[in-house]
Amino acid sequence: MRAVLVLYFRYFLKWDDDLATSIYHTFIALCYLTPILGAIVADSWLGKFKTIVYLSIVYTVGQVVMAVSAIHDITDTDRDGTPDNMTFHVAMSMVGLFLIALGTGGIKPCVAAFGGDQFEDHQEKQRSTFFSIFYLSINAGSLLSTVITPILRGQECGIHSQQKCYPLAFGVPAALMVVALIVFIMGSGMYNKTAPKGNIMLEVCKCIGFAIKNRFRHRSKTFPKREHWMDWANEKYDKLLVAQVKMVLKVLFLYIPLPMFWTLFDQQGSRWTLQATTMDGNFGILMVQPDQMQTVNPILILALVPIMDSLVYPLIKKCHLNFTPLKRMTVGMLIAALAFVAAALLQLQIDQTLPKLPKGVAGQVKFLNLNQAPLTVTINGTADVSVPAHQVNTGGYLTFDKPVRVVFNKNTSAGTDLTLMSQTRRTALVSPTLDMNLVYDLSKKPDDGMNAIRFVNGLGSPLNVTLGVGDIAPLSVSNYSLVPQGKAEFTIMNRGGASCLYSKELGFGSAFTLVIPSTFNIGSPDCWQAIQVVEDIKPNTIHMGWQIPQYFLMTAGEVVFSVTGLEFSYSQAPSNMKSVLQAGWLFTVAVGNIIVLIVAEAAQLPDQWAEYILFASLLVVVCIVFAVMSYFYTYTDPAEIEAQFRQPEHEPEEKKRDRVEMERKDSDCSKGSKGSDKKKRDSVVEQHNQDVKQSKM
């Protein structure tokens, strides 16, 4: 449902780009904060199975509420296709999103772990196969959802009026979630349900809290300093636990710069999707919706992961380059920054096709001549503007920041004062009697890639135009009607029943004024040729395919950064504290989305390309900080450190010497046994791969 969420905000709730982006990232941040709550509830109270069931119900209810909130007919009392009580829809949407965030976040740490609980220790191969299928299912779901959900959204539905079908886009996932939950519950009798054993995160937090509290109590110089501040917890907690917490904190310290990567990464679903709405989605036989461009990410993930593992990394190793995990993560962050530079360069090209409103108090106007002869417009007695018959003045919009005196055809006795509102666009209709009628023009692209079409009736009799235009009085203009991409056909009829068929091929995001001249012969076979076309807003001419380079760079950065980061984290943490690191990793995603809110609101940059450059620059700065931190990081072996604390503290000296001698011999033996080492390394790598697959969920 995330695929269409920002467009739902933008086009159904009628929020601007900034508010839609802010609420979108607030929702994502909440989705990645609630897993901590879900893990604590599952491990300390309900167990994984009940937590999944209960929170999946919450998840499903939230999805249903979202589907209901998107039904415009609920409050559309006047049946014009627009909800009359938008507060109701906003409130329902916020309730639905909160329930979804609580549900999806709550089950996030439980599902993969519950699947792993179904296997015994001797079933490592089967467990590995399960996680492979599980990981494949997640990516397949991501791919299918970004293709199908936008298609559902693109359908027309409604009781009294047909609109984009957001209820279907939200309702189908809700129905599928109900089916999935029923199937999951039906298998209850077959599951191995482990009882809650307490949450290690709570124990870690208590240990850290006691260390800080104890250190504060003994802050006087009379107390000797300790090697590490966590050593102040030794009075209450086991030394092994303290040592494990030290290792976890060492990795969590490296996590501090990581949220900036997710700040850029998660804007694929917000800013990049909104960018696609101003582009041309015509791929020949396929019309791509803006929200479908997100499909590129899962497709590239499925392609790049094996390429990186089987080709790129082995090639780097053969070149004898020490490409450590932390170096890989640094490179991944730089690649993500390049993706936003590419997005900024693309945005500069898109901006050339967007309407350019004047700054400050200035407004814009163009003159449309409904006479059969050319028209001369004199402004303030000096500047003359030529206006062809049944067309607008040459040069397009004129910009004025104060009232001006307008005279037609040098007739100084019939001048007109013209005052424009700031940052607006107007068209001045000049009738055959030289009367002027000001009408408003669109000042921005039509929503959702639609095309805005209106007609000007230059005849002395009323006309009716189909396709939502309606009746047009003599010498007046209709309202804009939104028409989708493709071939649009309009039937123009007069009161006598005569008609004329006019067709026009439309792209994405354009606005046209079609002028029916005074010489229009509605009954002739070639009547459509007399209609004059005035372009108010250019169609989207930059192809959506130009977004693929930035998606490629971002996905490559994700593969290098995210997968490597998870593998590194698990290799550096004690086996019983992987959940702590998992929570820490998810927390960086939440913080990254919060950063989007802070930067976007604080910067208030007028141009979108400048915001892209700002985010890219911030990531480069953070990347440099992370590189410095990585340089001073010392890799550790958690198993070796844990083994030191698990050794008996009180045993006879003779036994100690015997044990030390045996460990030395075992060490010498293991050094000479390369096959055993390889097997051990393969086992460790396999475990890491399983952990990464779980964490990808």
Side-chain angles (χ1 to χ4, degrees), residues 239-315:
K239 289 186 178 181
L240 173 60
L241 176 64
V242 174
Q244 291 171 332
V245 173
K246 288 180 183 178
M247 289 184 279
V248 168
L249 290 175
K250 189 177 179 182
V251 177
L252 290 178
F253 179 72
L254 279 178
Y255 280 5
I256 294 176
L258 303 190
M260 201 65 215
F261 173 86
W262 302 112
T263 298
L264 276 67
F265 179 82
D266 277 332
Q267 290 190 59
Q268 292 177 95
S270 57
R271 291 297 194 193
W272 286 13
T273 299
L274 293 172
Q275 183 186 60
T277 62
T278 59
M279 303 178 73
D280 181 5
N282 188 353
F283 282 78
I285 60 173
L286 184 66
M287 289 296 171
V288 175
Q289 298 296 323
D291 35 3
Q292 286 180 314
M293 281 304 295
Q294 299 175 58
T295 309
V296 176
N297 178 259
I299 291 175
L300 288 176
I301 284 178
L302 295 175
L304 288 178
V305 168
I307 291 175
M308 289 291 184
D309 290 340
S310 305
L311 182 63
V312 177
Y313 293 153
L315 186 62

Side-chain angles (χ1 to χ4, degrees), residues 584-606:
W585 184 266
L586 295 175
F587 186 72
T588 64
V589 181
V591 175
N593 281 271
I594 294 172
I595 292 175
V596 178
L597 309 180
I598 297 173
V599 174
E601 292 297 327
Q604 293 293 321
L605 297 174

Side-chain angles (χ1 to χ4, degrees), residues 24 54 103 108 112 122 125 204 215 237 258 278 348 353 398 435 457 641 646 659 666 675:
Y24 175 86
Y54 295 159
K108 198 179 291 289
H122 64 277
K125 183 178 180 181
V204 169
R215 176 67 184 90
Y237 291 91
L258 303 190
T278 59
L348 284 171
T353 69
L398 305 173
D435 293 324
N457 181 7
I641 295 175
R646 288 195 174 103
R659 176 174 48 75
D666 289 341

Side-chain angles (χ1 to χ4, degrees), residues 102-298:
L102 185 61
T104 185
I107 69 173
K108 198 179 291 289
C110 302
V111 177
F114 183 73
D117 289 346
Q118 308 311 307
F119 300 90
E120 303 294 337
D121 292 339
H122 64 277
Q123 294 178 308
E124 292 181 4
K125 183 178 180 181
Q126 289 86 346
R127 184 188 291 116
S128 176
T129 303
F130 163 77
F131 283 127
S132 296
I133 297 173
F134 184 68
Y135 183 59
L136 178 64
S137 300
I138 293 167
N139 282 279
S142 176
L143 178 60
L144 289 173
S145 66
T146 50
V147 173
I148 296 174
T149 312
I151 294 176
L152 298 177
R153 179 190 70 87
Q155 305 303 308
E156 299 285 338
C157 65
I159 300 174
H160 305 302
S161 60
Q162 299 292 302
Q163 302 291 335
K164 292 293 184 182
C165 205
Y166 290 101
L168 188 63
F170 294 139
V172 169
L176 294 176
M177 191 67 189
V178 170
V179 174
L181 181 57
I182 293 173
V183 172
F184 179 71
I185 295 175
M186 286 173 61
S188 175
M190 298 183 289
Y191 300 145
N192 174 29
K193 304 170 187 174
T194 56
K197 299 178 181 178
N199 189 269
I200 190 66
M201 284 191 292
L202 294 177
E203 194 69 17
V204 169
C205 292
K206 290 178 182 178
C207 183
I208 294 173
F210 179 80
I212 295 173
K213 186 177 179 180
N214 199 29
R215 176 67 184 90
F216 183 76
R217 285 176 178 173
H218 301 85
R219 61 186 180 276
S220 173
K221 294 183 179 180
T222 58
F223 297 100
K225 292 184 178 180
R226 301 190 181 183
E227 184 178 353
H228 191 282
W229 63 272
M230 275 302 303
D231 292 332
W232 289 97
N234 287 335
E235 284 87 339
K236 183 177 180 181
Y237 291 91
D238 183 67
K239 289 186 178 181
L240 173 60
L241 176 64
V242 174
Q244 291 171 332
V245 173
K246 288 180 183 178
M247 289 184 279
V248 168
L249 290 175
K250 189 177 179 182
V251 177
L252 290 178
F253 179 72
L254 279 178
Y255 280 5
I256 294 176
L258 303 190
M260 201 65 215
F261 173 86
W262 302 112
T263 298
L264 276 67
F265 179 82
D266 277 332
Q267 290 190 59
Q268 292 177 95
S270 57
R271 291 297 194 193
W272 286 13
T273 299
L274 293 172
Q275 183 186 60
T277 62
T278 59
M279 303 178 73
D280 181 5
N282 188 353
F283 282 78
I285 60 173
L286 184 66
M287 289 296 171
V288 175
Q289 298 296 323
D291 35 3
Q292 286 180 314
M293 281 304 295
Q294 299 175 58
T295 309
V296 176
N297 178 259

